[in-house]
Amino acid sequence: MDDIRSIVNTITRVALILTSVTLLVWAFLPAYREICTGFVIGVLIGLINIRYLAVKTIQITDYAAGQGKRRFSLGYVTRLCISLIGIMVAVRFEQVSLGATLVGIFLIPVLLVPISIIHSYRNNRR
C-alpha cells in the first residue's frame, strides 16, 4: 500500500511541476496560450484519473486482504467520463487545444511506468 501511495505522490509532484512550467509558458509566451491551456487541462484530468485508480486499487487490495467490503470496481467508466469532460471542454472552446488536451491526458499514465520502475529499483536497492 505504501508503494502505491508513494508512487502516486511522486506522479502528483511531477504533474504539478509540469503544470507550473506550462503556466509560466502561458504567462510569458502568449502565442502558445491555446496549447498551454489544453495541456494543463489534460494533465490535471490525467492526474485525477491516476489518483482515482489508486484509490480503487487500494480498495481492491483491502478487500483481498479481508479488510474491506465486497463492493468494488476499477471505475473505468468514471475515468472515461472524466476524460470525456476534458475533451468536450477542448472541443467547445476555441481557446483550448484538443491535441494538447489529449497529450496531457495520456502523458500522466505514460509517466507512471518509468516512475514505478524508479521506485521499484530504489526499494530493491535498500
Side-chain angles (χ1 to χ4, degrees), residues 63-111:
Y63 172 72
Q67 300 169 355
K69 294 186 231 175
R70 170 81 169 101
R71 204 180 108 222
F72 67 84
S73 72
L74 289 179
Y76 174 74
V77 174
T78 303
R79 291 183 288 122
L80 180 68
C81 289
I82 291 170
S83 297
L84 284 176
I85 289 171
I87 292 169
M88 288 189 307
V89 166
V91 168
R92 174 71 173 101
F93 297 104
E94 293 177 5
Q95 298 87 0
V96 182
S97 169
L98 177 62
T101 303
L102 291 172
V103 168
I105 288 172
F106 288 111
L107 181 67
I108 300 301
V110 168
L111 286 177

Side-chain angles (χ1 to χ4, degrees), residues 57-71:
T57 304
I58 290 170
Q59 286 177 354
I60 288 174
T61 55
D62 285 345
Y63 172 72
Q67 300 169 355
K69 294 186 231 175
R70 170 81 169 101
R71 204 180 108 222

Side-chain angles (χ1 to χ4, degrees), residues 19-80:
T19 302
S20 300
V21 170
T22 306
L23 288 176
L24 284 174
V25 171
W26 182 89
F28 292 115
L29 299 173
Y32 296 103
R33 285 193 174 166
E34 178 181 322
I35 294 169
C36 290
T37 305
F39 186 71
V40 167
I41 290 172
V43 166
L44 294 177
I45 287 173
L47 181 62
I48 290 168
N49 283 340
I50 290 295
R51 293 192 71 84
Y52 185 75
L53 182 62
V55 167
K56 290 299 185 178
T57 304
I58 290 170
Q59 286 177 354
I60 288 174
T61 55
D62 285 345
Y63 172 72
Q67 300 169 355
K69 294 186 231 175
R70 170 81 169 101
R71 204 180 108 222
F72 67 84
S73 72
L74 289 179
Y76 174 74
V77 174
T78 303
R79 291 183 288 122
L80 180 68

